[in-house]
Amino acid sequence: MVDLPLRPDLLSQQAEADGRLPRSAAVPFARLSAWREPLETLEAFLTLIRAVHQCAPQAVAGWLLCGLCGFAGSTHPHEAPVRAARLTCLVAGQTVGLTPQGVSELVLSAETGLGQARKIGAIRAGLGR
């Protein structure tokens, strides 16, 4: 199997042929190497997310999972949850119509929650729980 290049026009055609389900057009986004140029990849990913949301909103979660595998996995494991939260917030912004300010607030909340979860995990680990 060969991945399609990250060209939104080609990926959109393939996604349409796949019924907008996260199939062959979604595969490149699950690869770590696709996220070496994160801004370019993110732009292509969000373009497809918008199209998927319009035609098959039930498929957005599957597309998000593909994106999360590549995007979050392309960094140090300690940073993966923060990257996953950021991508999830960006997708939420594209699918529920959040303003840029709303997305920023959602990202900040997610990062704060992850930071608190890490502290709780560290405390529990220190207590032997």
Side-chain angles (χ1 to χ4, degrees):
M1 178 170 73
V2 177
D3 287 334
L4 294 168
L6 289 178
R7 287 190 38 204
D9 57 333
L10 294 178
L11 291 170
S12 181
Q13 290 172 6
Q14 186 59 50
E16 187 175 344
D18 290 340
R20 303 279 185 211
L21 297 175
R23 294 184 178 153
S24 58
V27 170
F29 297 106
R31 296 180 60 225
L32 304 180
S33 61
W35 294 93
R36 286 190 185 130
E37 298 293 334
L39 295 178
E40 179 181 312
T41 304
L42 183 62
E43 182 179 334
F45 183 71
L46 292 178
T47 297
L48 284 164
I49 285 290
R50 285 189 295 273
V52 168
H53 181 256
Q54 289 176 356
C55 299
Q58 72 282 3
V60 169
W63 280 84
L64 176 58
L65 180 59
C66 288
L68 288 174
C69 288
F71 187 64
S74 66
T75 189
H76 187 277
H78 182 73
E79 290 298 315
V82 172
R83 288 189 80 160
R86 288 178 181 158
L87 184 60
T88 301
C89 292
L90 288 170
V91 168
Q94 297 297 310
T95 58
V96 296
L98 290 178
T99 64
Q101 177 68 26
V103 171
S104 295
E105 290 173 6
L106 191 58
V107 168
L108 181 60
S109 295
E111 290 176 351
T112 300
L114 286 169
Q116 291 172 344
R118 283 189 185 131
K119 288 177 186 175
I120 291 169
I123 291 169
R124 286 185 176 164
L127 296 174
R129 290 186 180 175

